[in-house]
Each structure stands twice: as structure tokens, then as C-alpha cells.
Amino acid sequence: MAFHCYEMLVLVFLIVNMSFYGSVDGEKNALGASFIFGDSLVDAGNNNYLSTLSKANIPPNGIDFKASGGNPTGRYTNGRTIGDIVGEELGQPNYAVPFLAPNATGKTILSGVNYASGGGGIMNATGRIFVNRIGMDVQIDYFSITRKQIDKLLGESKAKEYIMKKSIFSITVGANDFLNNYLLPVLSIGARISQSPDSFIDDMITHFKAQLTRLYEMDGRKFVIGNVGPIGCIPYQKTINQLNEDECVDLANKLALQYNARLKDLVAELNDNLPGATFVLANVYDLVSELIKNYKKYGFSTASRACCGNGGQFAGIIPCGPTSSMCSDRYKHVFWDPYHPSEAANLILAKQLLDGDNRYISPVNLRQLRDL
């Protein structure tokens, strides 16, 4: 989701994505595997292996990520992503390893694989400003490789059961299709003249339906799909549009809401038409909006200023890097950088997805989805 304009810094990538949380042998219903798709909200290090302008494997990213001793891993936050936290809570024995990491081989993949990529989107043109990124079509191509590897590890019959019953497919995507495609003046002015918002969102939904159906055809049965959050309220948008603290960019939020309404219909359609599958919709938009609106209630001191960043009133222009200013109270900021939530915010969001009611997660929450 970020717009990264700093030069690529080469750091040694720490292989920490397989850090063990503890034995789950006694947990009958422990999640087997988590297959994570999407963008920088859940990227755990795939972009480290790409020549791309969208990277997070530089300090102080990861400063609160215990598994790496506070070193950057490629996660676009100060600590764990929502995907990390959900996996831990559901009893998954290890973090899902980035698909492009050298250790994404053998039995390691049975705890899950993360295909998400900073800058990625539903549409293949999304994120081209970053030069390289992995869009959803290629992420699913990568899963087809993993799927064959699991057949070899477990045998076809056990592999099919493991994927269908012991695995959750988590997809967090769509924000970049607006922020770094449709709303990006430099690259999309021609498209925006020739394509209305309705038409662009039609294309997104058509592509996404085909992508989710492909995962179903490879035996995915338990899905959680995040809708697009209030992208008009992120520090970057507030800063470049010179808004007040409690203002958001209307157009960006209207596009998100328009897409989310269509996504809700798509999820209902897939639940009706794909036998044996459960598609759960995570209402990220309302969850994050609630956190931003009532941030003090949740123990935060600001929901508009980035903890790590530079530029403008809300430190919202230059992404987080070694030369950024950084707040001293990281756990009191909803936003870590100009685009992404802090670990403190991710913990609150994850809790609602795990155990919340149908205002935020429906038709079941993630703990119930695991136990189906």
C-alpha cells in the first residue's frame, strides 16, 4: 500500500519467519496452514527478493518484531502484521514463510506460505510505479507450485484433506488498485478519462472472482477476504491533501465503499455457488474507521500522524527508513508509517477478526472458521 521513493538499501535478510511460538500438539483444532495473499498490509518479506521501490527491509521497520530481535524482515510495520497475529492465535505452529524466501521448502511450507507483495493488487497494472511487485494472478500461480509440493510431501489424498480442512486462505488486497492505479494521476489519467469508477470496479470484481475461483479449484475451502479500508484517512492522503486532523479524502473513501459493496455481493455469490466453501468477509473499513474515530478510547494518542515518516503535518510523505523521524511512543500511534497500521493497531484489528461479531466479520469469525 506504500509509495516508496527511497533508494534500495541492501541488508542481510534475517530468516525469522519460521520462529516457533510453542507446541500446539495438544490443540486438537489448531490451524495447520495459513496461506496469505495480498499487499504490503500482510507482506512478510517477499519484496526483499524483488528489484522494487516498495521495500520494508530497512530499519526502523521491525523494531518491535521479537522473532528477529527487532531487525527488519520486510514487514511494513514496527512488529507483527495482522496475518502474523491471527496465525499465532489460531495455533499455527510457525509464521507463514514468504514464498520467495530461500527457506520456503520442504516441511516448512506445511505451516503455510505468504505470497503477499507490497504494491500488489487485483489488477495486473496496479503498482507498476514500483517497477516490480507480485499481483494476485502471479501470487496464485505461486500457490499452484506450493500445492504440488504439498502433494509430494503428504500424498495426494492427505494433501487434499489438509488444504480443505486444516488450512485458511487469507486475502488482503484492493487498496493499491485505487491508491497506486486508479487514483494515481501520473499513470492513470488516460484510464480515468476512458473508464468510470463503476467500470473500473466492475473489472476488479470480475478479476477477483476468477482469482478466488482458481484457489477453490486448487482445494481452498476456508477463506477470509478483507475489504478495502478507509484509504482516504491514511497519513499520506491527509498530508498531500493538506487536511485537518479529523478530515479524510472523500473520493478515495467513496471508491473504497463502492468497491466494498460489490465485494459483499461477490462473497455472498461465492458462498452460494461453490459447494463446501466458506468465504468470510472481514469488514476492515468499519474496523479501521472505528479505531480512527475513537482512537483515545483504545489508548492511542493520535490516529492521523505517522510514528515513522517525514514531511508535512502528519509525517505522511516520505516512507519509513533510517533517516525518518520516529515517535517515542510507538504503541500510542494507530499508524506506523504514512500507509500502514502499527502493531498496536494490528492487535486490536486482529482481535475483532478472531472473536468479533458480524459487524466486523461474517458469517463467522476466524476462530469459528478454523473449527468448521
Side-chain angles (χ1 to χ4, degrees), residues 238-239 242-245 304-305 311-316:
K238 287 189 178 191
T239 302
Q242 299 182 314
L243 299 183
N244 294 327
E245 193 169 356
S304 54
R305 186 175 176 82
Q313 186 184 353
F314 305 115

Side-chain angles (χ1 to χ4, degrees), residues 96-117:
V97 65
F99 178 82
L100 294 179
N103 63 329
T105 58
K107 289 188 175 175
T108 295
I109 66 174
L110 294 177
S111 291
V113 179
N114 185 315
Y115 307 89
S117 169

Side-chain angles (χ1 to χ4, degrees), residues 108-174:
T108 295
I109 66 174
L110 294 177
S111 291
V113 179
N114 185 315
Y115 307 89
S117 169
I122 293 168
M123 308 298 284
N124 288 321
T126 292
R128 60 186 167 178
I129 191 167
F130 303 124
V131 185
N132 280 316
R133 74 282 171 214
I134 312 163
M136 274 298 291
D137 281 339
V138 177
Q139 290 183 36
I140 296 168
D141 290 343
Y142 286 165
F143 174 73
S144 71
I145 296 169
T146 302
R147 183 68 191 81
K148 293 184 185 88
Q149 290 170 332
I150 294 174
D151 273 347
K152 285 182 183 169
L153 285 167
L154 300 180
E156 286 187 18
S157 174
K158 280 190 175 173
K160 191 179 181 83
E161 185 178 13
Y162 191 72
I163 301 290
M164 292 173 101
K165 295 184 177 171
K166 296 289 287 179
S167 304
I168 288 180
F169 290 73
S170 170
I171 300 106
T172 305
V173 75

Side-chain angles (χ1 to χ4, degrees), residues 2 53 89 112 168 173 176 198 202 219 236-237 310:
L53 296 175
E89 284 291 319
I168 288 180
V173 75
N176 281 318
D198 281 348
D202 274 348
D219 299 318
Y236 173 72
Q237 288 287 334
N310 282 105

Side-chain angles (χ1 to χ4, degrees), residues 4 9 11 14 33 47-48 102 178 184 214 217 228 285 291 303:
H4 292 257
L9 296 175
L11 290 170
L14 294 151
N47 277 26
N48 301 354
F178 297 111
L184 203 65
R214 276 182 73 198
E217 287 166 352
V228 172
Y285 189 98
L291 205 51

Side-chain angles (χ1 to χ4, degrees), residues 43-60:
D43 187 348
N46 281 307
N47 277 26
N48 301 354
Y49 303 97
L50 301 178
S51 296
T52 176
L53 296 175
S54 181
K55 279 183 181 277
N57 60 338
I58 55 171

Side-chain angles (χ1 to χ4, degrees), residues 47-101:
N47 277 26
N48 301 354
Y49 303 97
L50 301 178
S51 296
T52 176
L53 296 175
S54 181
K55 279 183 181 277
N57 60 338
I58 55 171
N61 292 297
I63 191 168
D64 298 306
F65 191 66
K66 291 191 175 106
S68 69
N71 288 298
T73 62
R75 287 166 170 81
Y76 293 75
T77 184
N78 60 308
R80 291 164 293 170
T81 67
I82 291 181
D84 295 329
I85 297 161
V86 165
E88 285 181 26
E89 284 291 319
L90 294 183
Q92 183 188 325
N94 305 301
Y95 290 128
V97 65
F99 178 82
L100 294 179

